[in-house]
Amino acid sequence: MNIIIVGCGKVGQALVEQLNDEGNDITVIDKVAEKVNDVSSRCDVMGVIGNGATHSVQRDAGIDTANLLIAVTGSDELNLLCCLIAKKAGNCHTIARVRNPEYYSESQFLKDELGLAMVINPEFAAASEIARVLRFPSAIKIDVFGRGRVELLKFRLPENSPLAGCAVKEIVTKLHCDVLVCTVERGDEVHIANGEFVFEEKDVISIVAATRKAGEFFRKIKYKMNSVKDVMVVGGGEIGHYLCEQLIRSGMSVKLIEKDPARCETLCATLDDGVSVINGDASDQNILVESGLEQTGAFVALTNLDEENILLSLFAKSVCDCKCVTKINRIGFDNVISKLDLDTIINPKSITSDTIVRYVRAMNSSRGSNMETLYNVIKGKVEAAEFIIKEDSPVVDVPLMELDLKPDVLVAAILRDKKVMIPRGHDSLQIGDAVIIVSRQIGLRNITDIRK
Amino acid sequence: MNYRMISYILGWILIFEGLFLSVPMLTAIVYGESVLSSYLIAMGICFLIGGLLVFKKPKKKQLFAREGCVIVALSWIVLSAFGALPFLMTREIPTFIDALFETVSGFTTTGASILSDVEKLSHASLMWRSFTHWVGGMGVLVFIMAFIPLSGAQNMHIMKAESPGPSVSKLVPRVKTTALILYSIYFALTLIEFIMLLFGGMTVFEALNTAFATAGTGGFGFYNSSMGSFSPYLQIVITVFMILFAINFNCYYLLLCGKLREAFNLELRTFLIIIASAITVITINIHGMFSSVGEALRHSAFTVASLISSTGFSTVDFNQWPELSRTLLVIIMFIGACAGSTGGGIKVSRIIILFKGMSKELQTMVQPRQIKKIKMDSRLIDHETVRSVNVYMVAYLMIFAISLVLISFDNHDLITSFTAVTATINNIGPGLDLVGPTSNFGFFTMQSKIVLIFDMLAGRLELFPMLLLFTPATWKK
């Protein structure tokens, strides 16, 4: 597919890398020559220097043959203009990043009137993900499928857990829990678990379960789970703003620490009174403790500096036994960061690129099944996708044990008529099902891709 | 430095060279020549060593800019060294340096020969010489990259190092597709020329050789008189195609897309104007030497096209022409072809950027507060490109001067030494006086030949890859 990406910022680059690896022909546009040269020397893409909202630049980038234009520059207005012009100049789908809450609240109107295929707000998406994790703090990461009926939860097995030393199949036989273990991360290795796999302490495990059943599972393995009542949020940017709104709605009490007095005023004016806005520099330990860090149930670090966020979370961990969420947007070093005891890490740029990549794959795939959702369970190694089966295909109505699946592909859950099934060998896929596939095969586009 | 990856790619280069050798091998079979065995052995050696090197895929595939340059430079050296084997084994060129000179001259599309009598060579060897032009013209590595499974970003470093011209522009997002388009254009143009030459009465062998040598803008002849013995029709066809192959291939792509205005960009217009004015002046200058103005025009057009495109064919001995014509010819040797073509020289686009840079500098001297940017076809030339063109010019002059000094140890006259370096570094072929179109490079001493070999490679690879090879920092860990 021919894709034009306007804006080579963090999200733009993440998109280029991921979409390029999946075999799309990409042209990037940016005003800054350095950024374009940097991207086009790292990836096999064409670069055009100029204002992406002008017709001539878009024509240079090949708008007449493009299938999709993604506008992810720093400015909402420019993104919308890019999409508007692309829509008129060529016959392509358009995706715009819109982060200003004023515009985003009208996203449906924008989509309809400007003919946008998707309006994406990384800050809002990140805030929703954080809120989800805080509602269920046992998990490091929660991805939801089937409009929230199925969850893919990732958690770290604590020391002395009764599950350590157990084999995967014993979860069903001993604990009688209807959950499916998908992946186990041990050190740098990633395993797609089969029945014989034996857990060890400190493994990071991801399971698929119906939303109602997940709590039961954690109770049975005696996993400590204090529900969070008080949250301390550091950094009052857009994510902080959206997050506070969502947390207040689910009945938590929120303290928001922000350095800039003017921003505090705005936040105070727009947010619900339940949020106590505190003006202060969070890098000062006294302010954190004074604001009640020791008593808080969860700590969320959302400042603009990744390094500061990491340090703040590590400090919070050392002071109290709370759930920590750390925003990391810019820096790489994934393998080093994953070794730190940081609980949940939120990466807004990859949330955005996941959403867009899912859209691109759905565009790419032929009809018959539609990809509904896509998550990177382990970045670049394992992904989880939800397909809706719309018509007959070779995988329909065949018992799963007779399907010749690719190695490391797991049919993790089936949603049929509002019921969630954790499939066993005798079950089969039916038309109308939503299926959740967890696999090491990056780039599944269609449900039929799971066969060899 | 990822040595394993470098040797892996070099292995592929050898395997492809083995495949290329099948062309002279087939020629030997067709003509029933005894040199067949030499070509078979050379092919075997290439496959064997290449096979050993690619047998195990390297684990670490990462290539950075410096590996890209080193790979390009080493590939061309390896390609030439192994390509010289058949000449050695058939004993047609008995010494290694001479054989290497001949193959480097072939692959770099120079066309300078050390042979005094090419008509003595076997058909297979003549074909191999011409075929190296065709392979080298468009760049071997980009071609091979389209076949070796490597990720695109790695290809980019290699394409940047191999493509002629101040900046590389892709036609489409993927390197592979871009390479494919360029090669299709190259192949189609060669085929058209081949057919038109056949119509002019050439034999298949002559037409193939000529088409290969013109397409790569190489210039190895297969008669001692180069193209002088062919009919006016054939000479005109060759003139036209020499110019066509010296035009940026992107222009053809734009033409095929129907973008006529963009195809006739500033570089192409300048190139055509230079050719037209050079032909006019030289025709007036030499018309007394020929029976009619028409004949003078034909010969001057052929010679100008041959030298500005860096091909190096000749119909007459232009060494005998008046001084004005000789000087103009040497100047157009330096200007060279368009960027992104198969031709050599400094390249028209670089000359344009240099001139615009100079006029900008002059204007800022008059109006110190004036801000001025260099533009081409109403597109901004970024500062990086201007800087790299300037540095290129400095490096070019430096290499030129050092080579000239080294050649002068042979104690030939200045015109011979000067044009010998000019003809090799610009990948032309013939120079003036002792290295004129009717003579050859055989009389130089071995060390001078090595210097000229370096110049040919440096000229073809746009200097920097070869210079990097001799920079200690490249090899530091």
Side-chain angles (χ1 to χ4, degrees), chain B residues 213-425:
Chain B
T214 328
T217 64
F220 271 144
F222 38 93
Y223 293 124
N224 289 336
S225 61
S226 191
M227 295 294 142
S229 54
F230 289 112
S231 68
Y233 163 79
L234 288 172
Q235 291 178 357
I236 291 167
V237 168
I238 297 168
T239 309
V240 170
F241 275 92
M242 283 191 295
I243 295 172
L244 287 181
F245 281 108
I247 291 171
N248 192 336
F249 278 41
N250 291 6
C251 295
Y252 298 118
Y253 179 71
L254 291 171
L255 271 185
L256 287 176
C257 295
K259 295 177 183 164
L260 199 71
R261 279 178 64 106
E262 284 166 55
F264 279 92
N265 55 20
L266 181 65
E267 183 181 24
L268 180 53
R269 292 196 306 267
T270 317
F271 180 63
L272 294 177
I273 290 169
I274 294 173
I275 293 181
S277 16
I279 292 175
T280 319
V281 175
I282 292 176
T283 311
I284 296 168
N285 192 227
I286 61 169
H287 75 277
M289 299 174 70
F290 296 95
S291 53
S292 69
V293 178
E295 198 185 342
L297 178 68
R298 194 180 78 228
H299 288 303
S300 84
F302 188 97
T303 311
V304 168
S306 166
L307 295 185
I308 200 163
S309 71
S310 84
T311 311
F313 280 144
S314 57
T315 48
V316 285
D317 186 3
F318 52 76
N319 194 29
Q320 308 297 330
W321 289 359
E323 284 306 319
L324 172 64
S325 301
R326 298 207 324 162
T327 313
L328 279 179
L329 289 178
V330 172
I331 287 171
I332 60 169
M333 281 188 197
F334 281 104
I335 294 172
C338 298
S341 70
T342 62
I346 293 173
K347 305 285 168 344
V348 179
S349 59
R350 279 209 186 89
I351 305 272
I352 295 174
I353 292 174
L354 285 170
F355 261 93
K356 292 205 165 186
M358 191 181 73
S359 85
K360 176 191 146 191
E361 208 58 37
L362 286 177
Q363 288 205 17
T364 36
M365 279 175 184
V366 178
Q367 281 264 12
R369 284 179 190 280
Q370 190 182 9
I371 308 278
K372 230 179 129 41
K373 294 270 180 196
I374 299 179
K375 286 181 188 165
M376 250 171 101
D377 298 309
S378 63
R379 243 165 241 268
L380 203 66
I381 304 290
D382 65 46
H383 183 72
E384 275 298 291
T385 313
V386 178
R387 191 190 51 88
S388 81
V389 168
N390 290 339
V391 174
Y392 178 91
M393 223 34 234
V394 172
Y396 183 90
L397 290 175
M398 196 187 73
I399 295 178
F400 194 94
I402 294 174
S403 305
L404 187 57
V405 171
L406 291 175
I407 299 287
S408 301
F409 278 101
D410 281 12
N411 204 24
H412 301 296
D413 66 305
L414 182 61
I415 292 187
T416 304
S417 305
F418 187 87
T419 54
V421 177
T422 310
T424 45
I425 200 170

